[in-house]
């Protein structure tokens, strides 16, 4: 007996309606981006049936793909209009980078695990996101030669906001990052650069991310 293939389009539409719009995601561009990106292409094939459930999923090498709501919340916090250049830290499988590519002009994404970086490149290429550039390296150091960025999105928890990332943020740009003194629980904060020296901080509540490893993260 053949297993029934999930209707991913309907599942994606339900995700947008109930998990996102129903829980306070109001940016229409973010909702449209989440409805355009096929999440099932960015997770292991045997988990495809769970692609639009309201929880993170393992993608190998001890890493996860964030639950859809968190991806949308972080994207919304960046307040993108379509002309921006965005830095994405923690590429993972490439899903969040694909969402950001629907919202910005160009995305630069850094993954520290070589196998995941290569997998993300393949996933993004197959899904048609040629405006996403992926490199393997220490995300806490950013991408200096491509800076400054109008938005920076960090998908791993840091003990503090890396100073290097703050300095790669353009004036008026926004940096969204989980920060906390523990590996497993953080506060999601957004840093807005008002001037060269002035930064404003906004708190979005408790989150759980894998630790941000690197020179300016966890050792």
């Amino acid at each position: 007996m053949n297993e029934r293939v999930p209707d991913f389009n309907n599942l994606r539409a339900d995700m947008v309606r109930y998990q996102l719009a129903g829980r306070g995601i109001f940016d229409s561009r973010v909702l449209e981006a989440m409805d355009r990106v096929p999440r099932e292409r960015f997770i292991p094939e045997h988990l495809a049936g769970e692609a639009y459930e309201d929880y993170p999923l393992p993608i190998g090498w001890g890493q996860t793909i964030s639950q859809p709501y968190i991806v949308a919340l972080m994207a919304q916090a960046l307040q993108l209009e379509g002309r921006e250049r965005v830095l994405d830290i923690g590429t993972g499988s490439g899903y969040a980078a694909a969402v950001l590519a629907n919202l910005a002009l160009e995305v630069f994404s850094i993954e520290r695990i070589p196998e995941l970086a290569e997998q993300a490149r393949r996933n993004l290429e197959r899904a048609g996101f040629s405006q996403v550039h992926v490199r393997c390296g220490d995300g806490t150091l950013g991408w200096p030669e491509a800076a400054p960025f109008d938005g920076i999105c960090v998908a791993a928890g840091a003990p503090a906001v890396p100073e290097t990332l703050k300095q790669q943020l353009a004036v008026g740009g926004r940096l969204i990052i989980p920060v906390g003194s523990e590996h497993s629980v953080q506060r999601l904060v957004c840093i807005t650069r008002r001037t060269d020296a002035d930064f404003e901080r906004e708190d979005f509540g408790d989150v759980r991310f894998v630790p941000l490893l690197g020179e300016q993260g966890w050792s």
Side-chain angles (χ1 to χ4, degrees), residues 5 9 43-44 49 62-63 106 111 166 168 175 200:
V5 177
N9 290 335
I43 60 175
Q63 304 301 299
E106 198 169 16
E111 170 56 52
K166 289 173 64 176
Q168 290 182 25
L175 161 61
E200 182 180 285

Side-chain angles (χ1 to χ4, degrees), residues 156-167:
V161 181
E163 188 63 28
T164 297
L165 296 185
K166 289 173 64 176
Q167 295 307 320

Side-chain angles (χ1 to χ4, degrees), residues 84-91 94 97-98 101 105-111 117 120-121 124-125 129-136 143 145-146 149:
E84 298 87 356
R85 298 167 75 254
V86 175
L87 177 63
D88 172 51
I89 305 298
T91 315
L105 180 66
E106 198 169 16
V107 177
F108 298 81
S109 192
I110 306 175
E111 170 56 52
R121 287 190 192 98
L124 290 159
E125 183 178 343
F129 294 103
S130 60
Q131 71 274 52
V132 180
H133 313 285
V134 178
R135 74 155 46 160
C136 183
W143 199 316
E145 63 269 33
F149 299 100

Side-chain angles (χ1 to χ4, degrees), residues 56-212:
L57 292 168
I59 55 173
W61 295 278
Q63 304 301 299
T64 60
I65 180 174
S66 297
Q67 72 185 97
Y69 173 76
I70 292 296
V71 174
L73 179 65
M74 294 177 78
Q76 179 172 271
L78 293 178
Q79 299 183 5
L80 301 172
E81 297 179 353
R83 301 180 300 274
E84 298 87 356
R85 298 167 75 254
V86 175
L87 177 63
D88 172 51
I89 305 298
T91 315
S93 66
Y95 176 69
V99 172
L100 292 171
N102 273 285
L103 298 167
L105 180 66
E106 198 169 16
V107 177
F108 298 81
S109 192
I110 306 175
E111 170 56 52
R112 71 176 180 85
I113 300 172
E115 294 87 351
L116 271 181
E118 184 55 37
Q119 178 179 285
R121 287 190 192 98
R122 291 196 301 268
N123 290 342
L124 290 159
E125 183 178 343
R126 283 196 294 260
F129 294 103
S130 60
Q131 71 274 52
V132 180
H133 313 285
V134 178
R135 74 155 46 160
C136 183
D138 183 348
T140 70
L141 302 180
W143 199 316
E145 63 269 33
F149 299 100
D150 305 296
I152 300 177
C153 185
V154 183
V161 181
E163 188 63 28
T164 297
L165 296 185
K166 289 173 64 176
Q167 295 307 320
Q168 290 182 25
L169 197 62
V171 172
R174 297 166 69 85
L175 161 61
I176 185 83
I177 181 173
V179 176
S181 59
E182 300 179 27
H183 276 196
S184 58
V185 181
Q186 305 95 19
R187 301 288 290 182
L188 187 63
V189 300
C190 185
I191 306 295
T192 303
R193 188 170 199 171
R194 295 302 183 191
T195 68
D196 283 345
D198 296 326
F199 296 85
E200 182 180 285
R201 181 175 175 133
E202 185 179 359
D203 193 305
F204 284 85
D206 288 337
V207 289
R208 291 178 179 270
F209 279 81
V210 296
L212 178 67

